[in-house]
Amino acid sequence: MRPDDESPPRPSHRLARPRAMSASATRAPRVASGGDRRARAPRARAVAARAPAPLASPSGAPVRHRAIDRARVAFAVAPPPSRRRAERLAQTRAWVDNTAEVDVPVPIAVVWELWQDKTRIPRWMPWIHSIDVVDETRSRWNLRTNQFGQDFSFSWTATDFPPITREKIHWQSTEGLPNRGAVTFAGGVGGAATNVRIRISYEVPDVLAPFGGAVAPLVENILRADLARFSEFARKVGRAMARSGVGGDDDDA
């Protein structure tokens, strides 16, 4: 017989032998007692309260998906971060150091006195919107600036350390934006000029983190411009004092 004339195999009419059911399959389902249900109820309510709301479709109906449900449950039962872990995360935040300096054609006595009155500082540091003196060692600083096409504002309370007369003033923030810094003064040869150097360290705020390495050069350029303005401001004050012969009023500058 040729292969083309082969007929298909006949179907078998034998019935499959029924499989024996295991003891676990035939066991009656366990009914939770009232005590078990009461013990699990607070846990279930806590999980439900912590779980985020289910996703919704464009029609408003909740979206049911096994993977989404598992993620919701995992989020709900995950333990909150410990205090140590939170402290470690805080310690990993980036701190940036910036410095700038300028030679001011004014004696150190005049330069020192100008920096002692904090209310004058916004004259040469315009990004410092205001400074409110709380007491002899504490002051409240408010910073406002427009950078990267956005408006930013920060504030902090600074505590001054004991100054070194005509050499150094330094501070550290105790509230608000974490920062610390110092301004140092050095008289030039002959006493006709003063070198002013400012150094600040600060923790980069979260809102500036996306700009990464652009923050440090930006702040350094701002500080240089601030000190250039201070040099011009001090020069005008020095000339006013020279005209008056004794002191003069720097408000005329």
Side-chain angles (χ1 to χ4, degrees):
M1 180 183 300
R2 293 179 302 172
D4 294 341
D5 296 334
E6 290 182 358
S7 58
R10 296 181 180 180
S12 175
H13 296 287
R14 287 193 306 171
L15 297 177
R17 181 180 300 176
R19 297 181 179 178
M21 298 182 66
S22 63
S24 59
T26 58
R27 187 180 303 164
R30 181 177 178 272
V31 178
S33 65
D36 293 341
R37 286 194 297 270
R38 284 192 298 271
R40 289 197 297 267
R43 174 66 173 172
R45 285 195 297 270
V47 170
R50 292 181 58 190
L55 299 177
S57 64
S59 63
V63 176
R64 304 297 300 174
H65 192 281
R66 232 175 243 182
I68 296 176
D69 291 341
R70 284 197 298 268
R72 292 179 66 242
V73 172
F75 173 84
V77 301
S82 65
R83 180 178 298 178
R84 286 186 179 179
R85 182 168 176 241
E87 292 175 353
R88 286 197 300 269
L89 290 174
Q91 292 173 357
T92 59
R93 290 183 177 178
W95 277 70
V96 176
D97 297 324
N98 283 115
T99 60
E101 63 181 305
V102 67
D103 290 324
V104 184
V106 176
I108 192 170
V110 177
V111 173
W112 175 262
E113 289 301 324
L114 290 177
W115 279 90
Q116 296 310 296
D117 185 358
K118 291 183 176 64
T119 61
R120 287 193 182 107
I121 293 178
R123 291 190 176 189
W124 58 82
M125 301 182 78
W127 61 331
I128 302 298
H129 179 70
S130 64
I131 303 174
D132 301 318
V133 178
V134 179
D135 53 35
E136 292 183 356
T137 60
R138 292 183 301 154
S139 53
R140 185 71 178 172
W141 296 57
N142 297 286
L143 182 154
R144 296 180 185 176
T145 185
N146 183 286
Q147 306 295 338
F148 309 111
Q150 301 181 38
D151 292 325
F152 298 98
S153 61
F154 307 101
S155 61
W156 64 92
T157 299
T159 298
D160 295 335
F161 298 114
I164 303 174
T165 304
R166 297 187 181 182
E167 290 186 20
K168 182 179 182 180
I169 57 176
H170 48 146
W171 70 90
Q172 182 170 347
S173 67
T174 55
E175 296 177 1
L177 179 68
N179 71 91
R180 57 182 176 265
V183 181
T184 57
F185 310 87
V189 178
T194 306
N195 177 267
V196 180
R197 186 173 187 268
I198 184 171
R199 175 182 55 82
I200 62 172
S201 302
Y202 52 93
E203 184 181 279
V204 177
D206 292 339
V207 293
L208 292 177
F211 302 102
V215 175
L218 170 68
V219 174
E220 190 157 320
N221 288 334
I222 292 175
L223 292 177
R224 289 175 179 170
D226 291 342
L227 289 187
R229 275 188 292 267
F230 172 74
S231 179
E232 181 63 21
F233 178 80
R235 186 179 61 83
K236 291 180 180 180
V237 172
R239 285 193 304 186
M241 293 174 66
R243 286 196 302 266
S244 65
V246 179
D249 187 358
D250 65 297
D251 287 336
D252 294 336

